[in-house]
Amino acid sequence: MSAALRVLIVDDEPLARQRLKDLLAEAPDMQLVGECRNGHEAIAAIGAERPDLVLLDVEMPGPDGFGVLRALAPGPAPAVIFVTAHRDFAVQAFEANALDYLLKPFDRERFRSSLERARDRRRTAPSSLDAALLERLQSLAAHPSAAPARYVTRLVARVGWRMRFLPVEDIDYLTAEGNYVAVHVGKQSHLTRETMAALEEKLDPRQFLRAHRSFIVRLDRIEEVEPLPPGEFVFVLRDGTRLTSGRSYRAQVQRALELST
């Protein structure tokens, strides 16, 4: 039997820490090595205890969760599962190679699935993941005050336990898939943990058009447009894909494509 995973809990809320401890106690292969109330305590504890896994809050006193990661000394980095009530940091967490992003409130099964990811990482993840994490954190630390771009230049998707970065210029269209969005790039599609509404705000409207509640299309991929009598449009893309717009999107379609009524 392999040694227990050494786990550090970092959260400024006592009740949140207690719940994580209670849930962690149900996993016999997990060993709690400490708990921290703020970023300064977390940095010290990670250096002293060298945990395998950190359950890390994002917003807390002192350095926030990302500040904690930036402050780590060079060397093997622990696996990180972000535990937060704020969904706005998900992409940033994935870019930091986080194993998971637990959004409060979460249930017991959701927590167990996160721990399973940590177990899988121990069994299968190459050590290069730690090097990649440190390289990205060093890049972030070098530009701590850089203002974010108005529109994103790439999206983040999971491929197994890896992160894949998808440049927006490679994207053909996006479709809603339940609680996810499928990003279509050529003959491949990748799932991202975003909503259509969130992606509509992040993508440059000069390049992308929300023409239906369940799809966004890149304008320069449209080869033909076929108007339909009820006020809908059929987009024929370069690869032959056909997408039909929603009636309620008629005005923005006409504006984007400079069509007359």
Side-chain angles (χ1 to χ4, degrees), residues 23-202:
L23 291 172
L24 203 61
E26 298 176 5
D29 60 340
M30 300 286 163
Q31 176 189 355
L32 179 65
V33 297
E35 57 180 289
C36 304
R37 300 166 296 177
N38 56 57
H40 295 296
E41 289 183 0
I43 294 167
I46 292 172
E49 297 294 341
R50 296 293 179 185
D52 301 303
L53 174 65
V54 179
L55 303 178
L56 183 61
D57 193 8
V58 175
E59 294 196 326
M60 56 186 170
D64 65 8
F66 299 108
V68 168
L69 296 183
R70 287 195 295 269
L72 296 185
V80 174
I81 294 174
F82 281 99
V83 185
T84 177
H86 305 279
R87 64 177 67 247
D88 300 337
F89 304 103
V91 171
Q92 194 174 349
F94 292 153
E95 288 179 343
N97 266 344
L99 288 184
D100 206 351
Y101 193 84
L102 277 177
L103 191 62
K104 301 174 184 176
F106 52 86
D107 58 24
R108 178 176 277 100
E109 289 306 312
R110 182 69 181 86
F111 183 77
R112 287 174 177 170
S113 72
S114 284
L115 294 187
E116 190 58 34
R117 292 187 179 190
R119 297 182 183 102
D120 286 343
R121 183 184 191 267
R122 165 176 276 190
R123 290 191 294 261
T124 64
S127 59
S128 61
L129 275 179
D130 288 335
L133 172 59
L134 287 172
E135 182 179 349
R136 267 192 283 276
L137 294 176
Q138 289 165 356
S139 175
L140 287 171
H143 307 283
S145 61
R150 175 65 180 87
Y151 299 110
V152 297
T153 59
R154 61 183 182 174
L155 300 181
V156 182
R158 276 197 181 275
V159 180
W161 301 116
R162 296 176 290 115
M163 295 294 105
R164 175 162 294 177
F165 299 98
L166 308 173
V168 296
E169 60 265 23
D170 294 342
I171 297 170
D172 298 317
Y173 62 102
L174 307 93
T175 55
E177 301 286 345
N179 294 326
Y180 298 84
V181 170
V183 183
H184 299 267
V185 179
K187 295 182 179 180
Q188 297 183 328
S189 65
H190 309 277
L191 291 179
T192 184
R193 298 187 183 193
E194 294 269 13
T195 65
M196 294 296 287
L199 287 173
E200 183 181 9
E201 292 293 323
K202 293 180 178 181

Side-chain angles (χ1 to χ4, degrees), residues 180-256:
Y180 298 84
V181 170
V183 183
H184 299 267
V185 179
K187 295 182 179 180
Q188 297 183 328
S189 65
H190 309 277
L191 291 179
T192 184
R193 298 187 183 193
E194 294 269 13
T195 65
M196 294 296 287
L199 287 173
E200 183 181 9
E201 292 293 323
K202 293 180 178 181
L203 294 170
D204 189 341
R206 295 169 296 182
Q207 299 176 356
F208 290 89
L209 170 65
R210 176 83 178 272
H212 192 280
R213 63 182 180 85
S214 59
F215 80 78
I216 297 173
V217 63
R218 186 174 174 92
L219 289 167
D220 64 7
R221 298 302 197 269
I222 300 172
E223 192 166 80
E224 295 181 5
V225 179
E226 301 174 4
L228 296 179
E232 299 172 345
F233 298 87
V234 176
F235 302 105
V236 183
L237 307 191
R238 294 177 187 174
D239 63 359
T241 299
R242 298 173 68 89
L243 302 169
T244 303
S245 68
R247 295 183 189 180
S248 61
Y249 292 83
R250 179 181 181 182
Q252 48 263 57
V253 170
Q254 289 178 323
R255 285 195 300 270

Side-chain angles (χ1 to χ4, degrees), residues 2-38:
S2 60
L5 279 169
R6 294 164 49 80
V7 184
L8 179 71
I9 292 173
V10 182
D11 198 303
D12 63 332
E13 299 179 2
L15 291 178
R17 294 198 304 273
Q18 186 59 53
R19 181 158 189 265
L20 289 173
K21 287 191 292 184
D22 292 343
L23 291 172
L24 203 61
E26 298 176 5
D29 60 340
M30 300 286 163
Q31 176 189 355
L32 179 65
V33 297
E35 57 180 289
C36 304
R37 300 166 296 177
N38 56 57

